Amino acid sequence: PPKPLLGDVRVSWSEVRSPTEGVSILAKQDRGRLVRWLDPKSGHGIYRLVPGRVEADEMVQKLKEEAGMAKWLLRLLGWVGTFIGSKMVLSCVSAVVSILPFKIGAVLASFSDVIATIVAFGAATGLSLSVIAIAWLRFRPFLSLGLGASAAAAFYGPVLVARAYSQAP
């Protein structure tokens, strides 16, 4: 409109120049438009634009590498978040222990904080491995079973070690 009103949005356009070496597009042309290209091996739909002349196999390989890095980064962030959350939940134990009289609380508080850290580490590792094992159950069942066993070891390993030390002569 000739007179903008409150709430109108200003739109501007600018030209994006293509690189001199050209671009490669990973998509399927369908009736004059670009639609998702389906990877014949995985069946996933993909759009991709990269500078230069690149073969489709190279583009798919690069996408897989990028997805692999993102996957491991998200797994690491999930583990760190689970560890920090578990540590925060268990931090009340050392706070309660620290109020014990006769300076016993101060000594036991640092000891209970170390124990809480070990428990949080085991819980974060076990929970993370459990989530990954459940996610892989359909596609990689044997790997999933191995991860499930590792998760069980992370959960129950400290308990078994503590029992072994408590029963030792």
Side-chain angles (χ1 to χ4, degrees):
K3 279 186 148 182
L5 300 173
L6 185 64
D8 286 351
V9 177
R10 182 181 301 254
V11 177
S12 63
W13 299 92
S14 62
E15 179 183 4
V16 177
R17 298 193 185 269
S18 64
T20 57
E21 68 271 9
V23 295
S24 295
I25 301 172
L26 189 59
K28 180 180 171 184
Q29 191 171 3
D30 184 28
R31 295 184 214 128
R33 48 187 203 122
L34 296 174
V35 297
R36 280 187 297 161
W37 175 78
L38 294 177
D39 181 15
K41 295 175 185 168
S42 68
H44 291 104
I46 303 170
Y47 289 111
R48 186 66 170 200
L49 176 92
V50 294
R53 304 226 181 254
V54 182
E55 294 293 323
D57 291 337
E58 285 181 57
M59 293 173 79
V60 170
Q61 184 62 33
K62 184 158 175 81
L63 281 170
K64 287 180 180 178
E65 290 172 6
E66 290 172 4
M69 289 294 292
K71 172 181 66 177
W72 282 105
L73 179 64
L74 289 173
R75 286 179 182 168
L76 178 66
L77 288 175
W79 182 88
V80 168
T82 306
F83 175 74
I84 290 172
S86 300
K87 184 75 170 100
M88 289 173 69
V89 166
L90 295 172
S91 66
C92 65
V93 173
S94 60
V96 169
V97 169
S98 67
I99 61 173
L100 291 175
F102 307 118
K103 296 190 180 186
I104 295 173
V107 173
L108 291 179
S110 61
F111 181 69
S112 67
D113 190 44
V114 171
I115 297 297
T117 302
I118 292 169
V119 169
F121 182 85
T125 303
L127 286 172
S128 297
L129 288 175
S130 297
V131 167
I132 295 168
I134 290 169
W136 279 359
L137 188 59
R138 180 171 179 242
F139 298 105
R140 298 179 180 173
F142 292 115
L143 182 59
S144 179
L145 290 174
L147 284 172
S150 299
F155 279 127
Y156 300 114
V159 173
L160 296 175
V161 169
R163 284 185 185 166
Y165 277 114
S166 67
Q167 294 174 356

